[in-house]
Every structure is written in structure tokens, then in C-alpha cells.
Amino acid sequence: MHWRCAVVKLLLALCVLAVVPANAAQLQFDQTDLTPAERAASASLLKEALHRLPPRWRQTLDARLQLRWSDDLPSDVHGRTQAGRISLRRDLLRQLPHQSLEDTPALRALLHELAHVYDRSPQGGLSHNPHLLDLAGWQQRPLHFGRRSAHNPFTGRSPDEYELTNPREYVAVNLEWFLLDPEYACRRPALARLFAAHFNWQPAAAACAPGLVFMRAEGRTGQLEQLDPKRVYAVDYLLAEGNAAPMSRWGHSMLRLVICAPGRAPGPDCRLDLQYHRVLSFRAFVEDVQISSLRGLTGRYPSRLFLLPLDQVIDEYTKTELRGLQSLPLRMTQEEISALLTRAAQLHWSYDGRYYFVSNNCAVETWKLLHDALPRYARAHLRSVFPRRLLRRLARAGLVETAVLEDRAAAVRQGYYFEPMDAHYQALFTVAHEVLRLPQVRVEEWLALSPMQRAPWLGRGDLRATAALLVLEEAAQRRAELRARDVLKRRLLDARVDDGARTQVRSVLAKTALLMWPASLDGGGYGLPQQERAVLEAQARALAGQTETAWAELWEQAQAALPAREQVQLAGVTQNLEVLGARLRVLADKPQ
Amino acid sequence: MRHVLIVAALLILSAPVVASSFASSASSAGSATSGSTSGDDKVVLQARSDAAGFVASAGQIRSARLEAALRLLRERSVDARRASDMQLAQAILAR
């Protein structure tokens, strides 16, 4: 529902004067001009509202608080609190007899105004609570001495966008929902916990849908994935090391969720359940065929939180980009892990940030996630715009275990360090070189050969040499794929050719963008999805089906457009891999 | 820091059709398992390159993926529990 209330900053008089505690019975609406029926309706409305308030809140009510029905509020305003007087729109009173009191605009409006009154009382002050501001989305900024941003980017799946106006309205709107919606604790769990702790009181609550759901980012299938925080044994700071490419120089910050395989009790053994591990990664979603640094500097790209399989992340970094991954356990209690995942889900469904290469990059987003979810991390002064510096600060604060990297071989074996694939290329090549007396000495010379030039050597090695050549041929395949991809991209960007294809790519990207912003799905509800999960998933799957068809068409065209040289190379490598695979099966099958 | 890859991934890699063309290292390196692969089989399949590195380096290159696959094989079969790491790595290559 969308309605507006205007709050005029008042007199601090209410705060300064000693509060005269109200006996609930003493408060009443101004009776002037009310019919007996209206008086009765006003009284039961007030009674209902007071009955809903937590005791601590009710006790702060001042007996001198005036309530009245008003004809002179602006047309879009339901209520207003000014100088110790709450005015509600008289239209709401006229609707009252026709509605049950449970959830009427009048009850909402009254609770909203009472929330403003409470917030301004000495006991209130929720709209200045730093943790509430973190959770709500008036986040601290990495630069500007950590001042809070004026803009709230948590625009997705809001119950009432009026909450985004400022922290005071946010508190009033959210207290309304906290008091009236039994699902509030399911949909905005962190805020519900904060309110419940503040009032030392819980409203009636509904049972929540199980776990936390995320839209799967991989494969664009439109499937939802459900996470159970209790199955998460640990959270690691996952750092992709930098490389020479300008966009990757500083590395990339992510979080790895060490999720236990079904049936395995949470414990150190879960560290090797790699296939179940997930990664929380902030990525700029680029809706165009070319990345533009200028747009990155001016915040034109959305920054979103994605949940990815660890396996995919390992492949992308260590195989495709040849970058190492450090995975360092963060010190977190089970309760903190749960708070972190809840926050991550909230970001996933609501956060529409802007990606800035310097002031809002992956390190900043990861810092904010830790800072906003976990008060203990918020106190640790972690603020940084560089992934490695964030790691150093975590280490200085004793929040991360860096000792796991000291023994490199053990770290690789236990999954604390994932080596870039090229770390051993030369050593592997030397094995093959010695067995087969290959004319090349450096692995780069070998990989620079055409697949056809390598082919004659592939069927002659022993088990070790063949295994080495297999690893190297896979490297050659990835290189050929990257080259082909680069050729296609250049063609697409070449203004002289393929204008149709470019338009087509842009249109498919625009559709894909919807899948990458789950809040754009229309399933009803707000905050973390509950019973609307199935509706959201059905919509996402339909959308995914459409984009998949479009991608498939595009892909066919792209393959046909690939120059003959690239096609021959790719086919050659594929054939080499088949030869090596077949030989390896024969050699490995023999007892050694 | 990730955006370049997102573009690339969107352009090429993630369409399923691609799996049968460019990104075919797993299948072309030869997997004896056909049809539907369970999650467990996927672990063993994915460890193929890691097993090749292990065998080629006479046990020097030893990744977490290989460890995970070895553990899985041993959890599933008594024979595997009696076998050495090298024998199991070879068994992965022989599949």
C-alpha cells in the first residue's frame, strides 16, 4: 500500500518535558464533530492499536498526546504528527465501519504515527541506531570518513517504497509491518530481531518457509536454490589473486560458504565437500557487449550479489584466467553465519547498488556485507577499497585464519589454496619432453604449435607422459576457446559488420538482465520470498526458456561466423584430446 | 573486477549448446560414464585433470579436487579403501 504521511520535525518539547505516562484509557480522539457511531469506531481503533503495542512502547505514551481526525491533510497524506498531536485523515474514519480492524488503513496510519512519536521519545531513537541504519540500507561509505550515504539502494521487494524516504519513515513503516504482519520476521528477519531485542517482546509470528532462497546464477535456468544456514560449517574470505589485466590487478573479494554434503555432520570433513560449496560474489552486471571504464567510473553498471557454485568459480579463475584463489576461514559463530546468510539473501532480493571501480567495488561490497550483518565485524575497522587490504585488516583484527596458507602443499590439498592451472605446466611438459624426446624445451613452444603439429607425438608416451600431455592439451583447448571468443567479440564490436547481430545480442542481454535481478519478478510479497517462491520460480523459468532459445540461435550464428582458422584449431584440439583420452584409458587400466 | 568475465560468459560460455562445442574438455577427454551423471560421478569426472596431474608428477601435484574424489571413491567401495592414492588416481583416468 502506498500512502504518504508528512512528519514535521517538532519541538523537542516532548522529549524535554517529563512524560506523563498514559493510562491507555486516558487517550482518546478529539470528540468534536463526531457522531456517536464515529466515537465508538475511533475508540475501538485506538484500543486495537494500543493492544498491538509492545508494553515498553505503550509505557512511553504521554497522556497529553492529542489525537484527532482531520479534513485538511494533503490528498496523499494519511496521517501527520506535529507538536504532540496526531492527525489522521477523516476519510479513513468513514471507511472504518466497512472493514475489519485487523488490517485497515486507519490502523496502519495510527500505528505509523505512534511509531514516529515513539521514535522521538527518549526511549525510542531507533532511526539513529547504527545497526538499524546498516540493515536498512543507509550504509557507511568506504571513503568520506565512513559517512553514511544519503541514498538507500535497497529498492527491490519493498513493502512500501515510502520507507526509502529517510530513516525516520523507514522505522515508522517497518514498525507498522512488524506489529501487523505475522510474516514480518520471515521476510525481514534481521530487522524483526532488532525490534524484538529493543522491545524485549515478540509479536505473533507465522511459521516461515524453510531456508533461504537464491536465484541460481549459473546456467541461467531460472531455478531457485535453497540454503540452510545450519548446513554451513564455515565461511571463508575467498580472494582471487590479481593478474596483469587492468581490471583484475587488485584481485577480487568473495565469500565461500563451506556447505556440508547431505548426511555429513557439520565439521572439518565438510571442507572437501567441494561440490556443495557456494560462493557469494558481487559482480557488475554489464548489459552491453563491451565493458566501458568510463561507465564503471560513473556508476552506470548495477552491482548485484550472486550465488555461484564453488566449482564454477574455481574453473573460471584457475583454468580460464589462470589466477590463484586463497580461501581463508573467517572466525564466525554459527549464529553469525546465519546472520550473514540472511543478510546475503536480503541483498540478493533487494539490493540494487551501483558498481564503481574505486568507491563501490567488490572489496567495498564484501566489507559492507560483513559490516552490516555482523556487529562484531562492524566494530573492527575493516573499511577498505582493496581486496588485499581488506584481508590484512581482517587478519589484524584476528577475524581470519591466515596460517592455513603457511604450508603451501597442505593448503592446496585441503582446499585453502587453489593454484592457477599454469603453475605446473612447465614441470608437466618436462615429463613428456624427457620420455618422448620432444624437440621443444619450453612449454610455451609446445602450446604455440598447431594441434596438427602436436598430434604425431600424442600416441607414443607412457602413462606419465600421456597424462602430462592431456593436461597440456586441455590448456591448449582453453586457449583456442579464448581466441575464438575474442575473434567473435571483435566482430561484434566492429562497427562495419554485423549490426544485426549486435542488436540481437543487446536484446538477449536485456532479457538476461531481468533474470539477474530477481526483484524484477512479480510474485507478490516483500523481502525474503515465502509462499510466493513457486510463482517466482515459474516466472523465472519461463523467462530463462525464452533467453535460452535466443542464446542458442545466436550461438549457431556465431559458430558459423567463426573464421576457418579458428574452426580448424578447435576441431584439431578436440581430436587430440580424444586420442589422449583413449590412450590414457588403455595405459591406466594396466596394473603398473 | 569481475565484469569482463560476465560479458564473456554471457556472450559465449553459458549457453548449454556451448557445452557440446567449445567447452567440451570433460567429454572429449573421454568419459566412460554416459547418460545421466549423478553428483558423485561429477566429482570424479571433474577430478580427471587433477588425477592426470597427480599421475604425471608421480604424486607431487595433489589438489583438493583430487582429495575429494579419492575420499568419495573410498566412501563408496571397500576395494577403493585398500587401494593406494596412485592406484585410485589411475582408476579415475581409466574411466
Side-chain angles (χ1 to χ4, degrees):
Chain A
M1 60 181 285
H2 298 273
W3 55 279
R4 298 286 175 263
C5 95
V7 176
V8 179
K9 273 194 201 169
L10 79 156
L11 314 165
L12 290 161
L14 257 179
C15 309
V16 177
L17 291 174
V19 173
V20 182
N23 180 328
Q26 288 176 308
L27 283 180
Q28 66 170 18
F29 275 85
D30 183 352
Q31 309 280 306
T32 325
D33 299 336
L34 295 187
T35 65
E38 286 172 335
R39 285 181 192 181
S42 306
S44 36
L45 173 69
L46 187 57
K47 192 176 160 205
E48 177 70 23
L50 294 175
H51 166 70
R52 300 246 177 195
L53 298 186
R56 181 177 161 181
W57 178 347
R58 207 161 33 214
Q59 281 152 20
T60 65
L61 286 174
D62 191 314
R64 288 164 298 182
L65 179 67
Q66 298 173 41
L67 300 148
R68 69 178 190 111
W69 297 105
S70 164
D71 292 308
D72 46 18
L73 292 173
S75 61
D76 56 345
V77 174
H78 276 194
R80 170 174 285 175
T81 300
Q82 204 168 10
R85 185 168 75 182
I86 291 177
S87 307
L88 296 183
R89 185 174 193 76
R90 196 179 290 274
D91 292 345
L92 302 179
L93 172 63
R94 298 196 185 104
Q95 295 163 12
L96 266 183
H98 312 293
Q99 294 161 327
S100 91
L101 266 180
E102 286 291 300
D103 187 7
T104 63
L107 183 59
R108 283 198 168 270
L110 180 53
L111 289 173
H112 184 104
E113 298 311 319
L114 287 171
H116 280 308
V117 172
Y118 175 73
D119 190 34
R120 290 176 203 153
S121 76
Q123 293 84 354
L126 281 166
S127 59
H128 302 290
N129 178 320
H131 190 43
L132 182 136
L133 294 173
D134 292 339
L135 293 173
W138 283 279
Q139 296 168 296
Q140 281 193 19
R141 292 189 290 180
L143 308 172
H144 313 284
F145 307 101
R147 281 211 310 269
R148 292 186 184 274
S149 69
H151 167 73
N152 186 333
F154 285 67
T155 53
R157 293 180 61 81
S158 164
D160 177 351
E161 282 171 13
Y162 186 55
E163 67 176 351
L164 302 173
T165 313
N166 59 44
R168 295 180 302 284
E169 295 306 338
Y170 191 91
V171 164
V173 168
N174 279 270
L175 284 176
E176 266 175 56
W177 286 86
F178 174 66
L179 298 175
L180 290 174
D181 180 10
E183 286 189 350
Y184 185 79
C186 308
R187 297 179 176 277
R188 290 205 162 158
L191 280 163
R193 263 197 297 279
L194 187 147
F195 289 146
H198 175 86
F199 292 114
N200 195 19
W201 173 87
Q202 304 261 14
C208 301
L212 298 162
V213 286
F214 292 78
M215 178 77 65
R216 283 185 184 214
E218 84 278 14
R220 298 190 309 266
T221 56
Q223 278 174 293
L224 293 183
E225 170 153 355
Q226 191 179 313
L227 281 192
D228 177 0
K230 285 201 271 314
R231 303 295 303 156
V232 180
Y233 165 66
V235 177
D236 290 4
Y237 183 75
L238 189 62
L239 173 74
E241 296 173 340
N243 64 10
M247 304 295 188
S248 328
R249 199 178 308 151
W250 289 305
H252 182 60
S253 304
M254 298 165 275
L255 295 175
R256 167 182 173 192
L257 309 179
V258 179
I259 301 175
C260 304
R264 197 186 305 284
D269 281 352
C270 301
R271 288 223 152 259
L272 279 184
D273 290 331
L274 303 176
Q275 63 183 66
Y276 297 98
H277 296 184
R278 295 290 179 266
V279 172
L280 291 169
S281 176
F282 286 93
R283 295 182 168 193
F285 182 76
V286 180
E287 294 157 67
D288 204 346
V289 284
Q290 192 177 33
I291 182 85
S292 148
S293 307
L294 183 65
R295 283 173 140 216
L297 288 171
T298 54
R300 290 280 299 279
Y301 296 122
S303 171
R304 307 257 170 80
L305 179 62
F306 295 98
L307 183 75
L308 302 159
L310 175 68
D311 275 326
Q312 180 188 329
V313 172
I314 295 175
D315 284 347
E316 281 180 5
Y317 282 100
T318 66
K319 291 187 173 174
T320 309
E321 297 197 3
L322 303 176
R323 296 162 66 178
L325 283 168
Q326 303 177 12
S327 189
L328 304 161
L330 290 167
R331 296 204 171 93
M332 265 183 218
T333 63
Q334 201 60 42
E335 205 176 312
E336 285 173 327
I337 289 176
S338 180
L340 180 79
L341 295 189
T342 306
R343 176 64 174 180
Q346 191 200 355
L347 285 165
H348 181 69
W349 289 100
S350 299
Y351 176 67
D352 191 18
R354 298 281 111 189
Y355 201 97
Y356 289 87
F357 286 164
V358 179
S359 60
N360 204 34
N361 57 38
C362 58
V364 175
E365 293 282 23
T366 305
W367 160 67
K368 286 196 294 190
L369 172 54
L370 292 167
H371 174 279
D372 298 349
L374 311 172
R376 191 163 67 99
Y377 280 65
R379 288 192 294 272
H381 304 291
L382 303 171
R383 183 151 53 90
S384 171
V385 298
F386 299 107
R388 278 184 187 276
R389 194 175 296 165
L390 175 56
L391 176 58
R392 277 201 299 276
R393 293 191 173 170
L394 283 163
R396 203 178 51 197
L399 293 170
V400 68
E401 286 169 40
T402 49
V404 292
L405 289 188
E406 277 165 15
D407 177 348
R408 176 56 63 102
V412 168
R413 210 166 60 231
Q414 293 159 9
Y416 295 111
Y417 187 67
F418 299 93
E419 296 177 297
M421 277 301 278
D422 58 351
H424 302 291
Y425 285 170
Q426 183 60 43
L428 290 172
F429 180 71
T430 305
V431 171
H433 169 81
E434 282 170 7
V435 172
L436 294 166
R437 307 194 182 283
L438 296 170
Q440 295 76 22
V441 180
R442 308 290 311 163
V443 68
E444 283 307 320
E445 299 167 55
W446 174 254
L447 292 173
L449 298 177
S450 78
M452 290 56 88
Q453 288 169 312
R454 288 192 299 268
W457 300 95
L458 304 182
R460 304 186 200 168
D462 62 1
L463 178 65
R464 279 186 66 188
T466 309
L469 290 177
L470 174 78
V471 176
L472 295 176
E473 201 63 23
E474 285 174 352
Q477 185 182 44
R478 281 189 293 273
R479 284 189 185 192
E481 286 168 6
L482 282 173
R483 261 199 311 275
R485 192 192 300 184
D486 201 49
V487 167
L488 285 177
K489 200 174 141 188
R490 272 172 213 283
R491 286 180 64 104
L492 219 47
L493 293 173
D494 187 339
R496 288 162 304 178
V497 288
D498 267 353
D499 202 33
R502 198 158 46 236
T503 316
Q504 215 177 339
V505 169
R506 288 208 172 104
S507 119
V508 182
L509 276 170
K511 271 193 202 146
T512 309
L514 289 177
L515 273 181
M516 297 291 164
W517 178 220
S520 66
L521 301 168
D522 182 18
Y526 66 95
L528 303 184
Q530 298 295 308
Q531 64 276 13
E532 68 272 26
R533 286 176 185 179
V535 180
L536 292 171
E537 189 167 26
Q539 270 187 39
R541 278 172 187 257
L543 199 59
Q546 290 169 23
T547 54
E548 225 43 71
T549 316
W551 277 112
E553 280 168 20
L554 215 54
W555 179 244
E556 247 167 59
Q557 292 172 21
Q559 269 188 317
L562 207 58
R565 184 176 170 275
E566 268 68 33
Q567 294 198 19
V568 170
Q569 292 266 331
L570 283 166
V573 173
T574 307
Q575 201 181 346
N576 285 353
L577 282 167
E578 271 161 23
V579 170
L580 286 165
R583 181 163 177 79
L584 210 48
R585 265 193 294 280
V586 174
L587 293 170
D589 219 12
K590 288 186 204 142
Q592 297 285 305
Chain B
M1 303 185 188
R2 287 302 309 158
H3 38 269
V4 175
L5 208 95
I6 280 269
V7 175
L10 286 173
L11 272 179
I12 305 289
L13 270 183
S14 32
V17 274
V18 182
S20 57
S21 43
F22 277 6
S24 56
S25 30
S27 55
S28 54
S31 94
T33 38
S34 58
S36 68
T37 47
S38 76
D40 287 356
D41 284 333
K42 205 175 145 209
V43 172
V44 177
L45 267 180
Q46 261 182 336
R48 191 174 164 81
S49 299
D50 302 79
F54 183 77
V55 169
S57 67
Q60 292 294 300
I61 306 174
R62 200 185 165 101
S63 70
R65 269 189 182 164
L66 179 70
E67 292 284 345
L70 297 181
R71 187 179 74 173
L72 192 81
L73 291 172
R74 291 191 169 118
E75 280 171 357
R76 283 201 310 209
S77 112
V78 182
D79 285 350
R81 257 166 263 158
R82 287 193 214 108
S84 70
D85 291 345
M86 188 55 77
Q87 285 169 325
L88 286 184
Q90 282 190 33
I92 292 173
L93 292 180
R95 281 159 80 100

